Amino acid sequence: MSLLVWDYTREYENERHDILAAVDTVFRSGQLILGPKVEQFERDFAAYHDVPHCVGVDNGTNAIVLGLQAIGVGQGDEVITVSNTAAPTVVAIDAVGARPVFVDVHEDTYLMDVDQVAAAITDRTRCLLPVHLYGQCVDMTPLTALAADRGIPILEDCAQAHGARRSGRVAGSWGKAAAFSFYPTKVLGAYGDGGATITSDDEVAANLRRLRYYGMEDRYYVVATPGHNSRLDEVQAEILRRKLTRMDEYIGARRAVAARYAEGLGDTGLTLPAVAPGNEHVYYLYVVRHPERERILTALRSYGIMLNVSYRWPVHTMSGFSHLGYAAGDLPVTERCAGEIFSLPMYPSLSVSDQSKVIDALRHTLDTL
Ligand SMILES: *Cc1c(COP(=O)(O)O)cnc(C)c1O
């Protein structure tokens, strides 16, 4: 059997009783959509982040779409973000009619280079959208200072950074709002799709609740457009509520996997993940770098080990975004990293023996390159 970069089946075996109990509780409750389980999960997830509001939605992409609309971003506005991200960050900006404006990333952490943001601001900039990529936070202290100074709201993309901290502060607690995905691979993953947007702002929260429910506040009466059907369902909410109580354990297990990789691969030619000062990394992905990436991926496949590349194509070079007018060479660090990075298997239930196979196969491959 091959070893995958992500696999939930062992975790499911460990938690099967709890997951099935969650499903059964909801099925027997008589309420399948926007009922008490969603409310309970929203309360718990907001409390984890020490913010008053959480609005559960159908996926992480729509958590960004609704987050942007809830803070007033729309047609013709500019949103400053990065090209080194999962494409949905940018798909969401495009979906609200706004224009993504890209800044480059740091060569060591692959995170937004906050020093480049000021120069990218124009009189049409309506939002700064940092992505806490791979499990660690963007340098939020200077970014929030800049945003406050220029009166521009921040929406944090926390899809890869549940529970990550910088300077002691949890991801999602800096911005006007923050978007999360509960796609199964994420640090807090559902058994299907899910997402949430959190905020400390009462008006933004009210906007989010209306936006996810057709633009209605009361039943069958549309108060304002746009509206969506972007609801989180009761089953996923109850599974997420139960898994949230174990989230810090999942993060601890991810950190243990990362520490074993660092120990086993520290003296090879691989560039291992750099943790920025003050960051508490949650290792959504374990991203390494090597100029001979393609040979390494091929060699590991021969051992039955399937590595992944997140992400091979910077968003600004994709044909779907050619209308933005970017060209190859515009974001040199992003483009250079995209040619060399790849991800090693990373999930809380990755066994020590499976991980040893990955480390041994990598060591052998690097020795014989
Ligand atoms: C996963 C992800 C999303 C999208 O979340 P979905 O639930 O898949 O829609 C957005 N941004 C980033 C950075 C992601 O990793």
Side-chain angles (χ1 to χ4, degrees), residues 58-62 64 85-86 88-89 131 133 157 159-160 180-183 186 193-195 284 311:
D58 52 350
N59 58 63
T61 307
N62 284 338
I64 302 171
T85 181
T89 308
V131 182
L133 200 71
D157 183 341
Q160 304 195 356
F180 290 83
S181 165
F182 306 122
Y183 184 74
K186 309 288 179 170
D193 276 311
Y284 167 60
Y311 298 93

